[in-house]
Structures are given as C-alpha cells and as structure tokens.
Amino acid sequence: KNQVEQSPQSLIILEGKNCTLQCNYTVSPFSNLRWYKQDTGRGPVSLTIMTFSENTKSNGRYTATLDADTKQSSLHITASQLSDSASYICVVSGGGYNKLIFGAGTRLAVHP
Amino acid sequence: GAVVSQHPSRVICKSGTSVKIECRSLDFQATTMFWYRQFPKQSLMLMATSNEGSKATYEQGVEKDKFLINHASLTLSTLTVTSAHPEDSSFYICSARDGREEYFGPGTRLTVT
C-alpha cells in the first residue's frame, strides 16, 4: 500500500532553534518527493522537490534530504522564526499514476 | 513561481443550495487540475482530477453528481457543490500541474448552515 508517514505529529520549539522533521514512505514506483509548507487557512506552498538521484536540496533556511534506499526524507529548519509556524507536509509523487500521496503533516509552532 | 488563484476565498451558504468555486492558473496553461478537500487538522484528500475538454476523474467515495467539475479552458476549472449539507463544510483546495511542479491555490472555506 502506498503510504507516507510523518513524525512528529506536532512540535514546539523556541525561536532561533533548529529542528528536523521526518518522513518515511512506501510508494512504488517512486517519482519524486516534495515538502510543502501550509499556513493555517492557506494552500500549501512548495519548499523543495527531489528526484531519486538527489540526496539534498536547500531553499533558504530549509534543507531537505532524501535516502531513496531506506525511503526516508527529512526537512531541517535552521534558525527558526515565528513565521515558520505552520504545517509541513511531505508528499510523494508516484504509485503508478503519478498521483501525489500526502503525509498527515507535522504541525510546527515556533514560540518567542 | 506560477500562481493559482481561487474564488471565493470564503463562502457561507444555506443547506440545500449550490455553491461554485473557481480555480484559475494565472500564468500557465494547465490541462490537468486537481481538487482537494481538507478537514481540520488533517491533510489534503484528493477528490477528483479535472481534465480540460473531458470528464473529470473522481476518487473512490466522491459523488460525481454532488461535486460537479467543469474544466472548460486551459486556465479555469470549477467545482460546484450541489445541494450542500453541513457535512460538506470544509476547506477546498485546487492545484494545477506545470511540468513536474504542482501549484496549489489559496483554498476556499465553505460553511454550510
């Protein structure tokens, strides 16, 4: 069964601290893996997209990694800011129909 | 980056009425658009795939007669919630694919009273 699992479900950190969000997937065949940021009441916004051959990709203070062998990805946020408070969703494209398979998301709260 | 817009952003309607939500790709043409529904604290759930010039493809469990989708042009798809009920209250999000990138609209909050 094609699934994307994220951990933790929620996370609270202090402003300025770093954090890492995890994503495990069982999607086959695999096309690419994306991380999205979704602010409350808004649509998701793309942070990174990685294909099978890409191990790491950065977008400002966001760095995503991908281990296609273990089917794991992580999103590292450096020097967190209050505006980083949002849900972060791991999405895998594949499963034979190039559909997007969504994780449940990690709700991050950055406190001053 | 590419922009996808939705209109309206919020709508309140009475039970039994119909509501139309528009999704537009502003700076690219999209032969395929997608409609999602999101309940509080849950992730997006794909409802249907909207194909320009042909019938939409609905996910299992989604009533095609209740959620009417029209993709009349390469930049516009509409979702009509017919005979809305309170349980249809949700956050509806569309997306459009440009190459391998998928761009999401800002969402429409539907409240059925």
Side-chain angles (χ1 to χ4, degrees):
Chain A
K1 182 179 179 182
N2 292 315
Q3 280 187 316
V4 176
E5 295 183 350
Q6 291 187 243
S7 63
Q9 188 174 35
S10 61
L11 181 62
I12 299 173
I13 61 173
L14 294 177
E15 186 179 12
K17 297 297 185 181
N18 305 334
C19 67
T20 300
L21 314 180
Q22 301 291 342
C23 174
N24 297 334
Y25 63 92
T26 55
V27 177
S28 182
F30 172 88
S31 180
N32 56 66
L33 185 145
R34 309 141 184 254
W35 283 94
Y36 286 91
K37 177 187 179 186
Q38 185 179 23
D39 293 312
T40 301
R42 304 291 294 174
V45 174
S46 179
L47 296 175
T48 64
I49 179 171
M50 291 183 291
T51 59
F52 182 88
S53 60
E54 296 174 293
N55 300 121
T56 184
K57 182 165 282 190
S58 292
N59 179 359
R61 294 180 296 102
Y62 301 102
T63 300
T65 65
L66 174 64
D67 186 334
D69 291 330
T70 61
K71 299 187 177 181
Q72 296 179 326
S73 176
S74 67
L75 180 69
H76 186 74
I77 304 175
T78 305
S80 61
Q81 300 176 358
L82 298 179
S83 59
D84 291 333
S85 296
S87 286
Y88 291 84
I89 307 172
C90 176
V91 184
V92 178
S93 175
Y97 297 96
N98 250 359
K99 285 187 176 178
L100 298 188
I101 300 159
F102 288 77
T106 292
R107 297 174 67 86
L108 174 65
V110 181
H111 289 181
Chain B
V3 178
V4 173
S5 70
Q6 281 184 243
H7 178 80
S9 58
R10 290 177 177 270
V11 57
I12 301 173
C13 71
K14 292 185 177 180
S15 187
T17 62
S18 295
V19 174
K20 180 184 285 188
I21 303 170
E22 293 186 349
C23 176
R24 293 180 186 273
S25 57
L26 298 184
D27 53 3
F28 66 101
Q29 294 182 331
T31 55
T32 304
M33 291 185 175
F34 303 87
W35 286 96
Y36 297 86
R37 182 165 50 184
Q38 185 177 33
F39 293 105
K41 297 187 178 181
Q42 295 185 23
S43 196
L44 283 71
M45 292 181 58
L46 180 65
M47 298 175 65
T49 302
S50 172
N51 304 298
E52 188 268 336
S54 65
K55 291 183 178 180
T57 304
Y58 290 82
E59 295 300 299
Q60 191 172 10
V62 178
E63 300 175 56
K64 63 179 181 180
D65 295 329
K66 181 169 182 61
F67 298 99
L68 301 179
I69 291 173
N70 184 278
H71 195 152
S73 77
L74 288 171
T75 59
L76 173 64
S77 175
T78 61
L79 168 69
T80 301
V81 183
T82 62
S83 187
H85 289 107
E87 56 264 32
D88 297 325
S89 298
S90 188
F91 193 52
Y92 291 86
I93 304 174
C94 73
S95 71
R97 203 163 281 184
D98 184 18
R100 71 171 189 173
E101 191 63 75
E102 185 152 334
Y103 298 96
F104 290 87
T108 296
R109 172 74 60 193
L110 170 63
T111 303
V112 184
T113 61

